[in-house]
């Protein structure tokens, strides 16, 4: 996997980094039936390139099969913060991991090692994104808002989503490497998925680290609540289960910090995503217990209000 991480990081670490350059790189590995698309979206604060890759599976829906589709989202504000800062920022790790995973899955497919289900990989590339204040360290912001990111990265065909995001700017998980979140589905924070814990322990060779979540972390940005970061923002735009894959550090590191990316940790996150893709399409890896979730809904009702901005009139009281 490191062979895929290094060229991706090199392409991202440039003031001319673009979705087009990453797409050109990915096409060198792609089989004929893969889809690699780039769309530039502009807003008041600038523009960013959304990259979307679809790798058909042996039994995926794109070829008439019934195997479920996995979404892999590289979540970030930007890969650079120029002109304020020069170089690749820590926040780029989510994009780098997702794109490296895409390269690996494309290469596997070209060689004849296809996973069972379709895999959809989405992220965006912006080398000059803005920054914003955040406690305990500054965040990277984005040229486009979260709703636009979700619109371009979360697709209806995703039956489960792995959301990869730099999560170094906190003091609640003091670990260098990768952690996973509990599964989030339709406003509920479920228990950490045992299958995903097993995958993480296999690819890392260490006990799994779990990213703690508060209820406000899974609500949409824009409600004036504190969020650990944007790692679970895809969960507000889908009914599919979502699990965050957090790249973490022992000390709090700002998302806009340069020189703070660890290529081996990016490779670990990408390998986790690829191994999940292998097991998810065959039904060997589940993100949640469907029967238990149905029972919880019967007992307590839906929690989908936490996928919305809430009721401002009530909040004002």
């Amino acid at each position: 996997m490191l062979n895929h991480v290094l060229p991706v990081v090199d392409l991202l670490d440039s003031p001319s980094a673009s979705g087009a350059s990453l797409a050109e790189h990915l096409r060198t590995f792609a089989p004929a039936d893969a889809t690699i698309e780039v769309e530039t979206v502009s807003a008041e604060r600038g523009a960013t390139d959304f990259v979307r890759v679809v790798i058909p599976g042996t039994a995926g829906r794109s070829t008439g099969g019934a195997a479920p589709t996995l979404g892999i989202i590289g979540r970030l504000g930007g890969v650079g913060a120029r002109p304020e800062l020069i170089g690749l920022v820590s926040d780029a790790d989510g994009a780098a991991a997702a794109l490296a995973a895409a390269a690996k899955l494309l290469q596997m497919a070209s060689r004849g090692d296809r996973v069972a289900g379709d895999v959809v990989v989405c992220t965006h590339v912006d080398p000059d994104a803005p920054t914003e204040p955040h406690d305990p360290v500054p965040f990277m912001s984005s040229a486009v808002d979260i709703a636009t990111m979700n619109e371009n990265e979360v697709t209806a065909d995703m039956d489960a989503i792995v959301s990869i995001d730099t999560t170094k700017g906190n003091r609640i998980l003091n670990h260098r490497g990768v952690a996973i979140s509990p599964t989030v589905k339709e406003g509920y924070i479920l228990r950490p998925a045992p299958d995903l814990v097993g995958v993480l322990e296999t690819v890392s060779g260490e006990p799994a680290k779990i990213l703690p979540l508060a209820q406000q972390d899974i609500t949409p940005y824009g409600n004036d609540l504190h969020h650990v970061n944007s790692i679970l923002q895809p969960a507000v735009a889908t009914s599919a289960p979502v699990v965050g894959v957090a790249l973490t550090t022992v000390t709090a590191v700002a998302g806009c910090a340069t020189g703070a990316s660890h290529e081996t940790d990016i490779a670990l996150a990408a390998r986790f995503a690829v191994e999940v893709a292998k097991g998810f399409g065959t039904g060997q890896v589940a993100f949640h217990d469907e029967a238990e979730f149905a029972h919880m809904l019967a007992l307590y009702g839906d929690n989908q209000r936490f996928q919305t901005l809430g009721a401002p009139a009530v909040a004002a009281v």
Side-chain angles (χ1 to χ4, degrees):
M1 182 61 75
L2 199 56
N3 286 335
H4 291 294
V5 170
L6 296 178
V8 165
V9 167
D10 185 55
L11 287 168
L12 294 176
D13 189 9
S14 167
S16 59
S18 67
S21 64
L22 270 300
E24 181 180 359
H25 171 71
L26 293 176
R27 290 189 183 107
T28 64
F29 303 102
D33 60 350
T35 302
I36 303 173
E37 301 173 327
V38 178
E39 181 179 358
T40 302
V41 177
S42 299
E44 190 174 317
R45 303 178 76 184
T48 190
D49 294 338
F50 285 94
V51 182
R52 185 171 186 266
V53 183
V54 181
I55 307 105
T58 58
R61 295 200 189 98
S62 64
T63 54
T69 299
L70 179 69
I72 300 173
I73 295 177
R75 184 42 63 99
L76 69 158
V79 300
R82 299 173 180 86
E84 184 178 352
L85 296 164
I86 297 174
L88 190 77
V89 295
S90 174
D91 205 45
D93 291 0
L99 292 166
K104 178 64 175 177
L105 288 163
L106 289 166
Q107 184 183 67
M108 287 168 54
S110 294
R111 291 174 171 176
D113 269 345
R114 290 182 185 264
V115 299
D118 298 341
V119 181
V120 181
V121 183
C122 300
T123 191
H124 70 102
V125 178
D126 182 359
D128 49 13
T131 63
E132 64 181 45
H134 187 267
D135 180 39
V137 290
F139 261 3
M140 283 294 296
S141 188
S142 175
V144 298
D145 59 24
I146 287 291
T148 302
M149 286 188 200
N150 283 342
E151 182 181 342
N152 286 274
E153 294 174 348
V154 180
T155 60
D157 54 350
M158 295 175 176
D159 295 300
I161 296 174
V162 169
S163 174
I164 310 174
D165 198 350
T166 310
T167 313
K168 302 172 183 175
N170 68 84
R171 296 191 178 99
I172 58 175
L173 184 58
N174 308 122
H175 164 72
R176 159 75 190 279
V178 169
I180 61 172
S181 77
T183 298
V184 176
K185 179 173 168 60
E186 298 177 55
Y188 274 104
I189 301 174
L190 308 178
R191 67 173 177 146
D195 291 344
L196 298 181
V197 169
V199 172
L200 181 56
E201 291 183 337
T202 295
V203 299
S204 68
E206 299 178 347
K209 302 298 189 297
I210 306 299
L211 174 69
L213 293 178
Q215 190 66 32
Q216 60 260 42
D217 292 328
I218 69 167
T219 61
Y221 275 14
N223 58 6
D224 295 324
L225 296 177
H226 184 275
H227 296 75
V228 62
N229 66 357
S230 65
I231 191 167
L232 267 309
Q233 288 300 295
V236 308
T238 180
S239 61
V242 179
V243 166
V245 179
L247 288 100
T248 60
T249 45
V250 176
T251 58
V253 176
C256 59
T258 59
S261 294
H262 307 281
E263 290 81 358
T264 52
D265 295 344
I266 296 170
L268 175 55
R271 282 194 291 114
F272 173 84
V274 169
E275 293 306 309
V276 170
K278 292 177 185 178
F280 183 67
T282 60
Q284 295 173 306
V285 171
F287 279 57
H288 73 298
D289 185 320
E290 293 185 8
E292 185 174 59
F293 185 71
H295 182 53
M296 186 156 59
L297 289 179
L299 289 173
Y300 298 105
D302 74 67
N303 234 11
Q304 293 175 12
R305 64 190 182 280
F306 289 106
Q307 294 178 282
T308 74
L309 289 171
V314 175
V317 175

